[in-house]
Amino acid sequence: MTGQRQREFLKDNALSLAFLLLLLLSLAGQALSGVAEYNDQARTAQLQEISVWRYVTSSRFAVDTAENWQSEYLQFAVFIFLTIWLVQRGSSESKKPGEEGRESDKKQLLGRYVRDDSPPWARAGGWRTALYSHSLLVIMTTIFVLSWTAQAIAGRVASNEERMRELLEPQTLGQYVTSPDFWSRTFQNWQSEMLAIASMAILSIYLRERGSPESKPVGMPHDETSADD
C-alpha cells in the first residue's frame, strides 16, 4: 500500500480506528488496574500474586469484560429495534413522526428501486435480501447472546473460586444464572445502558454539538426531528 493510499485509508476509517485504539487502551488499563487490585487483595489474604498474563486469561477478567459487552450490545439491539416503530419528536436519534415502520421499498432502495452499486445481497432478492434487511439487528443480538453466555460461564467459574476459598459448595451453571448475584450485576449494567440511550434521545432535542452527525444543526428548531426533507 502506497503512502497516499495509506493516508486515504486512515482518513476514510479514522472514526473506527480511533475507537479500536481506545478499546485496546481501555482493555490494557482494565488489565493493569485489575491485576494490581487482585494482587493487593492477595497480599492482604497472604495468597500468591499473579502476573498480568495470568490475570487477563482468568475467569475474573473474562466475566468483567463479557458483562460490559453484553450490556452494550443489548443496548444497540434494543435501540435498533425500537427506533423502527417508535419515534421521539425533535430528537436526532429518531425518525420523523409518521415514518414509523419498515418503510417502503423506494426509501429502502429495494426491489425495482435497487441501484447498480447496492450491496449484492440487497440486489439478490428472495431470502438473501430478506436476511440482509435485518442483518444489523441479527448480528447485534447474536453478539449480545454470546457475550451474556460468556458472562454466565466465566462468572460461575469466578464465583466458584471464591466459594472454594470460603469452603462453600460450588454452584452449577443453573444455580449461578438464577442467583441474586448474577441478576444484580446484570441489571446494574442494563439500567445504565437504558439511561444512556434515553438521555441521548431526549437531550439531542434541546442541545447541539456543531459538526456532529449525532446532533441536529445548531439553528434547527427543537420540535423539528430531522434535517431530511
Side-chain angles (χ1 to χ4, degrees):
M1 185 180 291
T2 65
Q4 177 64 26
R5 293 186 64 184
Q6 286 180 337
R7 288 191 293 271
E8 290 178 355
F9 175 82
L10 292 174
K11 181 179 179 181
D12 291 345
N13 300 279
L15 185 61
S16 298
L17 293 172
F19 273 104
L20 288 174
L21 177 60
L22 290 172
L23 168 63
L24 294 176
L25 292 174
S26 298
L27 285 171
Q30 177 187 346
L32 293 175
S33 59
V35 73
E37 179 189 17
Y38 182 94
N39 286 335
D40 184 57
Q41 294 174 351
R43 285 191 297 271
T44 301
Q46 297 183 334
L47 298 173
Q48 183 180 1
E49 297 182 30
I50 62 175
S51 66
V52 174
W53 174 249
R54 184 176 173 187
Y55 177 74
V56 299
T57 57
S58 69
S59 57
R60 182 168 177 173
F61 183 83
V63 68
D64 289 342
T65 303
E67 187 176 295
N68 287 319
W69 287 18
Q70 62 90 359
S71 62
E72 294 293 341
Y73 281 96
L74 173 67
Q75 175 196 102
F76 292 143
V78 171
F79 183 69
I80 291 166
F81 178 75
L82 290 184
T83 51
I84 298 172
W85 307 103
L86 305 179
V87 298
Q88 175 60 58
R89 181 180 294 276
S91 175
S92 61
E93 302 298 311
S94 170
K95 296 188 290 189
K96 290 181 179 180
E99 295 183 353
E100 299 89 341
R102 298 290 184 185
E103 301 180 336
S104 65
D105 283 356
K106 182 177 182 180
K107 189 161 188 177
Q108 288 291 317
L109 301 178
L110 291 174
R112 63 191 182 93
Y113 302 101
V114 74
R115 302 188 332 195
D116 292 338
D117 58 353
S118 294
W121 277 41
R123 291 185 276 110
W127 68 269
R128 285 178 293 180
T129 297
L131 177 59
Y132 189 67
S133 297
H134 304 287
S135 55
L136 182 60
L137 181 58
V138 168
I139 290 298
M140 292 296 182
T141 303
T142 300
I143 297 175
F144 159 67
V145 172
L146 292 176
S147 300
W148 201 18
T149 302
Q151 176 196 343
I153 295 172
R156 173 188 173 243
V157 175
S159 176
N160 282 341
E161 289 176 352
E162 294 182 6
R163 291 176 66 87
M164 290 175 64
R165 286 195 291 268
E166 298 172 2
L167 303 179
L168 297 173
E169 287 290 327
Q171 292 180 311
T172 65
L173 183 60
Q175 288 173 327
Y176 177 70
V177 298
T178 56
S179 68
D181 176 68
F182 176 80
W183 284 104
S184 175
R185 292 167 64 93
T186 297
F187 282 123
Q188 284 180 44
N189 281 274
W190 288 2
Q191 58 86 10
S192 64
E193 302 304 335
M194 298 307 114
L195 174 62
I197 286 291
S199 299
M200 186 63 181
I202 296 170
L203 293 178
S204 66
I205 300 172
Y206 305 103
L207 306 179
R208 309 286 189 270
E209 183 55 49
R210 184 169 182 168
S212 173
E214 297 303 309
S215 169
K216 297 186 294 187
V218 178
M220 180 174 286
H222 294 326
D223 61 352
E224 192 167 337
T225 305
S226 171
D228 297 335
D229 294 329

